[in-house]
Each structure stands twice: as C-alpha cells, then as structure tokens.
Amino acid sequence: MNEPMRRILIVLPMYGGSLPIGRYCGQALRILGHVVEYFEAPGFHSAFSALKTLRVGTDRLDYLENSLLQVVSQAVLAKVEAFAPDLVLAMAQAPLSRQALKRLQRDKVPTAMWFVEDHEVFPYWKAFAPLYDTFAVIQKGNFPACLSEVGQPNAFYLPLAADPSVHHPLSLSPLERRKYGSELSFVGAGYPNRRLAFRQLINYDLRIWGNDWDGEYLLTPFLQRNGQRIDTDEVVRIFNASTININLHSSVRPGTLIAGGDFVNPRTFELAACGAFQLVDRRTLLPELFTADELAVFDSMSGLLQAVEHYRANPEARAEIAARGRARVLAEHTYVHRMDTLMAHLQSLMSPKTGDPSWLEEIPSDLREDLDRLLVKLGLNPSASFQDVVCAVRGQGGRLGRLETAILFLDEWKKQYTPKRPEK
Amino acid sequence: MQREAAGTLPGPRARYLVIQLARFGDLIQTKRLLVSLMACGEVHLLVDRSLTALARLAFPGVRVHGISAHGTHGPAILGLVHDDLQELQAHQFHRIYNLNYSGLNFALASLFPVDQVRGYRLAHGQRVVDAWPAQVMRWTKVRTTRGLNLVDVWGLYADQPVEPERVNPAASAGGIGLGVVMAGQNARRSVPPRVLAPLVHAASKRIGHGPILLLGAGAERRAAAELRAALPGSLRGAVRDLVGKTSWADLFEVVGGLGLLLSPDTGTMHLAAHLGVPVMAFFLSSAWCHETGPYGTGHLVLQAMATCAPCLETGSCPNGVLCRNVFSEPGLLRYVSGQDVAQFPPHVAAMASTVDSLGVCFRPDAGIDPFMEERQSFRAAVARIAGIPGPAPCSVPLDESWIQERDWMLPQTLRGRANE
C-alpha cells in the first residue's frame, strides 16, 4: 500500500443492496491497512419499521419517520466526533441528512458517497450529491455532467466488484447440488423485464430465487422458498451449483426485456468470482471490464435462448469462460482494487497524515513481540500511529487482552494528564 | 426496579475486585464497600501504585494491587501497566466494582467480562454507566437539599451493605494532642494561616492540653511556618511541624494517637474517622458535609452555609470566597473552644455526625440547617431505591425533579446493575 493508513468510517444503509457492498468495502479497506469502523444503521431499521405499524395518519407517520432519521443522523455525527475519521464513506441510502452533511462540511471532515444505484431510476441524488466532497458512481454517459450541473464537480467512475473471500468456487456435496442446483438459475428481485423474459424459460430446469415475485403466476412453480430473501452464503452456493446462471440486469421500463443500459451489476462480478458460468445481458460499460472470452453475453431474448441451447451442451466452453472471468475479477475487479482506487482519488481531500509512529520505539523491548502480533491481529501495518491502534482496539468486541487494555489505559492516561491530545 | 435473582449471587467464597483509582481520601472512603464485601468473600483492591502502602495499612484483610494511574508516573507506563494487569488476570473475579468516573476506569473495565463489572463499564467500546452511579450523579445536581455520603454511595454497591455503625469506630477522644491539617487537595476548600490560627487556638482550648501537630504535604511547609508564626506565643512551643515528614505508617501512628483533628475536607480527615479519632472539620466552598463529611458518629463539621454554598470548585468564585470569613467569627471560635455560645453566627452551622439506617448523616449541633427535613425525605427515598431499610420520610414533600422519563421507561435493576 502506497497511501498512508487512514481512519475510515463507513456509513451503512439501514437495508438494501448497498448494505453488503458497504461491508465488502470495509473488509477491503482493512486489507489495505486502514482502520475501519462501521456506522451500523441496520440496527435502527427495526425502530423505523415499528413506526409503520402504528396505524396513525400519514402526516404523523411522515413526521415521525423524518424525526427518527434525524436522530440516526445525529448518531452518525456523534460517531464521527468519537472516532475522528480521516474519511466518512457513505454507501447509497446512508442515513446522513443534509443538515448532518453540512455539519461535516463545516467541520472539514472529508466525505465520499459511493452511489451504487442507477441515477435514472433514483433521482434523489440531486439534492444530496453537492453536499459530499466526492461522489463515486457506477455510470458514465452524461451522469458526471449532470452531477457537475447540480454542484458536484468531483464525481468519478468506480464500477462494482466482488469480494473473493465471500464469492469464490465451492466444492459442493451431491446433496448441496440437489438443494441449490438447476440447469438454469436466477437470483434476484422480480423486476418487470425479468418476469417477462423468464416466462420464456419455463421449459427448462429453471429455479428462481429471491423476493418481489408475487403475483407472477406462470413462474410460481419455479420460485424457490416462496420468494424469501436468500442470504449471501446460500447465494454463493446457488451460483456454484447452477449450470447456467442467468444475469439479466433489471429494468423498470415497460415492455423492455433487455434494458441495454450502461452500468454493470454486482452479480456479474460475483458470479465471475465464484468461477460460475453466467449469461449476462449486454451493457455498454461491460467491454471495458471483461473481454468477450471472459463472459458470455446476450443482446436479445432470442440471443439468450440460443446461448442457453449452446452452452448447456458445451460444458468445456462454460468452464473455460468461467475460469477466465474469475481470473479477470481477481486481477482487476475486487473491492480491494476499488478501494485502492477510491483512496488514491481521495488523497488530496484528506489532511496530511501527521501520526507519530515513533511511539513504537518507546515500547519496552519485551512487549514488542506481543505488540507486533497485536498489530497483525488488528490488521494494522507496522507504522500505525498510537491513535489508530487505540481506535482499532476499541473497535473490538468483548473482553480484551492485557496489552489491549494497557493501550486503552495509556490513551486515557494521556487524555487525562496531557494538556493537548496528541495528533491522530 | 427488579431485584437480582438470589441464585445469581456469588457463593460464600466469592472473589471481588474493587477498582479505586482516586486519591487518599477516596481510598479511605471505600471502606463500607470493602467491609461489606469482606463479609462475603475474598476482596482485592486496585489503587494507584503510590497508595498501596496506605491501602494495606487501612485494610489489612484486603489484597491490594497497584497500578500506575496517577499523573506523577509519567507517560512511559505501558510496560508497567501491562505488568500490573498480569497480577489481576491471575485471579478469577466474580464481580468487579469499578468506582471512578474516569477514562482510566473505563479502560480497565475492558479486561473483564462486561456483565461482571459494576459501576463504569466498556461494552464493545461504548462507555456505559450503571443505574446506581448515574442516579447518584443526578442527585448531585441539586446539592443543598440532598446529600448522600460518598462512603455510602460506594458502600451501597454491595448486595448486603454492612450497617453504617460497623464501618468506623465511634469517635473517642482517647488520644493526646491536636492535629492540624494545613490544606486539602483543592486550595479553595482550605483557609489561609491567618484564618486557621484562631481556629487552632480555639481547638487547643477545647482539648485543654497536648502538642499541636501540623500535618500536610511538603508543598505546605511555608504555610505551616506562617501558621506557627500566627499562633499566640504560648502555643508556639507546643507546635510540632510534621508537614512533609510523615510516611503513611507515620501518619497512621500520629493521627491514631490524637485527641482531636482539625482539618478541611482531606484524606487525613477521613483517616481520623477511620481510626475513630474525633474530627473537627471546617467545610467551605465546594465541600459539603452531607457528601464527604467524616464517617461515623461523634464528629463535628463547621459547615459554611453561604447562600451560594456548596459551589462548584471548577468555576471561579465571584464572591471572593466570602464563605471563608465565617471561620473568623468570634461566636464560632468560642464554640470551637468548647464555650457556651448564646448566639451562633449566621451563615455557618456546626454539624454533628450520626448514623441512620442508610448511612452517615449530619444534624446541627449549633446553627441552623434549613434543609434538614427535606433532606430527611430525600434519604428515605434513597433508601427505598437502594433496597435497604431507611429513615422515615418527614412531612416535607420530596423534590422529585431528579426523576427522569428513562427511570420509568427503561428497565431498571437494583444498585449498580446496568440498564439491561
């Protein structure tokens, strides 16, 4: 890692697709040697959901929901105050109000949003984008110009990725293959274009996994677990167990089966990282991410049907494409790659690192070995500042060891008896 | 309030750790908790390294551990603390009483399972204050009408606190001579030599004979010399200046042999109470006898009762510490000397210590305490919250402004236990 170690607060959304992505980002940043803490917004979701069970007037519910979101925003600010991050990285739907973002601007806390959504579907970015220092997006086209128009000149393209520690090939038992496998498979929500498209696949051994498929009677026999949400661990098993994974990007445009949009969804990278074979619909940004022999692409419904016929009969071709796709992901499309890019882009926004790694020289020699082991355990590099170590120790749960406790004790001692708190 | 299930209480040989990282006086004031716990099991006490000898002298049945907690140890303490913690880790404690609201205490809590720590805990990096100390902190926001002695605050952490009269011996003037403590930790709580000298003169008349022993830290040598110079010539020959010259063992021996100790709110004052030596204390500024008065029966506190008292020692005094002036009042000095006083001066009261079922309390021996009845109602309420028999409330209704919505809405558990 070339960049200095940073303290990063990742503000997760309460729920939704960007939630696991936020966690993958945190894991990647830790691999890169940064100190990461999460703002665990999912913990507040149950309170938010409870409001919807009140059976009160809509005005009152609206007021209560906004009030709760303000409280959650205040909680983020409190976390920022306590953790003193070099960067606040917010994922799409992160509960940061405009007021909170203005406060962070005033306090000169660098903020970045990774907007992993389709800007044409979700237009709310216009009100929030100018309040972030940097806005990372998964689309190109006119989106950067649109962002500039609303007052966000510092946008940049950051495609999605996979986390190989989560998305990887599995050796499945025959029982697991029966449980999760099929000739054709799809994991995801029942968007209109998918409903229309998959009606033409009902003559195959098809399994559909995921939610929001209600009312789709023709596909009901193929829907698994009554449309329950499938957790990531099982999704990876399904990817691995399926002969052909259909990856059809969502579209809400009526009558459009193959959207032909620009951004590439996370499933593309995740399937490839699993070494699983996929048929993915063409996206304008796909060629710069994968070559033609790394992914099998279709442009139309008839093209999908032809590809299914072709590849179901050619296991070697499937295996070769899948292997090349996985190799490309590992080489260029992991969240570690993305976070490395993000941090390089943000370097100029963050204050110069003024930590003092010389504190390590003052550690008694008999403790050095223990401390080195602790730094490895915490995922910190040997030049970590004292405050970074304190943050990482404090972020651990449960009962701490003797050295960790002594480090927290020394930090408190310094705060109590040293007039000015040391620079982080 | 839910009581802790009896089945979860530690057995008869439970092992407890009490963490007391504050200073001399606080250490002595931990006594009720320590004595209560000793009745139930093995008690360990963690104090600053500089106080281990004192702790061993004061609490011979307790296993004392030291840690480099105070500022005097300098910042290169990581290795020392690491070694200190090894000793603690060697024991399996059933419960840890972490008594001080300090970052150091929160840090130490992380060494233990979070559900075994009482007082101040660290849960997944989050500081958590138990219900009992949080409640006590709220009470201190209005100090005049309330007041729970710190010995009782800590003592009531115990599941079965010993009766107040079993904590310290009743004051008994069996010794010889007058001890004079020059100053306390906070300068505003002390009086200058010119004010102290008449008090010493009067107190020496009260006990009638014996030496006058000046006690204090080395920084008070000059004040001791000034005091000696300010005393009447007839007394100067009786003065023995021990300021800055006593070890903890010396202090124990000297204080234990006194007939009376004259002192502001100091650790030595608490030591005298610990030993059953009568105390005549003078409390002013932020010092409030209902919170930190000498524990046990038979002590006296000359409590300044200015309308602004007790104040906060963190803020500067806009009145030039006028509460100090009452200690020069002729009527007060006559009282100190043991003479009858027809008219006790205003803005000061001589408060005598006694105990009720909750703990130590102070009632006027001379002068007026306008909040006595209200405090009585307060103490009755505190006893109910603490789950022990308490004094009967009096007719003055209790000020209930300290009750918060969270007390009603969140599950509460008995003394010191967390809001689970």
Side-chain angles (χ1 to χ4, degrees), chain A residues 84-162:
Chain A
D86 297 301
L87 170 70
V88 173
L89 174 58
M91 305 308 295
Q93 280 103 41
L96 269 166
S97 66
R98 276 171 277 198
Q99 189 186 4
L101 287 166
K102 284 175 185 167
R103 169 74 181 273
L104 292 176
Q105 275 184 334
R106 195 198 70 187
D107 293 347
K108 298 187 171 35
V109 179
T111 55
M113 157 61 72
W114 193 7
F115 185 64
V116 292
E117 302 282 2
D118 184 342
H119 78 281
E120 291 182 4
V121 176
F122 300 104
Y124 54 75
W125 51 267
K126 290 176 184 171
F128 289 81
L131 299 172
Y132 283 94
D133 294 317
T134 294
F135 213 71
V137 298
I138 58 171
Q139 290 168 292
K140 288 185 175 176
N142 65 344
F143 192 22
C146 294
L147 283 164
S148 193
E149 271 176 32
V150 299
Q152 175 47 275
N154 196 16
F156 76 106
Y157 174 62
L158 191 68
L160 284 157

Side-chain angles (χ1 to χ4, degrees), chain B residues 327-381:
Chain B
F327 299 107
S328 302
E329 287 282 342
L332 181 83
L333 294 171
R334 273 199 301 280
Y335 174 85
V336 171
S337 67
Q339 298 174 56
D340 289 335
V341 181
Q343 192 160 11
F344 202 75
H347 307 305
V348 65
M351 305 294 288
S353 68
T354 183
V355 293
D356 61 18
S357 53
L358 180 64
V360 77
C361 50
F362 285 82
R363 292 184 180 136
D365 182 62
I368 296 166
D369 174 9
F371 303 110
M372 193 169 69
E373 289 197 323
E374 204 166 342
R375 195 174 298 108
Q376 171 88 356
S377 291
F378 167 77
R379 292 179 68 77

Side-chain angles (χ1 to χ4, degrees), chain A residues 257-327:
Chain A
L257 269 65
I258 313 298
D262 54 357
F263 71 90
V264 176
N265 67 14
R267 193 183 297 103
T268 307
F269 301 96
E270 291 164 3
L271 280 161
C274 287
F277 179 75
Q278 64 178 304
L279 288 174
V280 57
D281 56 322
R282 187 171 302 285
R283 311 289 288 177
T284 57
L285 292 170
L286 200 54
E288 60 187 76
L289 297 165
F290 293 93
T291 58
D293 63 349
E294 290 167 341
L295 282 180
V297 179
F298 60 91
D299 300 289
S300 61
M301 195 61 220
S302 59
L304 171 61
L305 293 169
Q306 283 172 16
V308 167
E309 284 301 317
H310 173 71
Y311 283 108
R312 65 195 288 240
N314 285 284
E316 295 83 6
R318 293 199 309 265
E320 284 170 13
I321 291 172
R324 284 193 290 267
R326 173 169 159 76

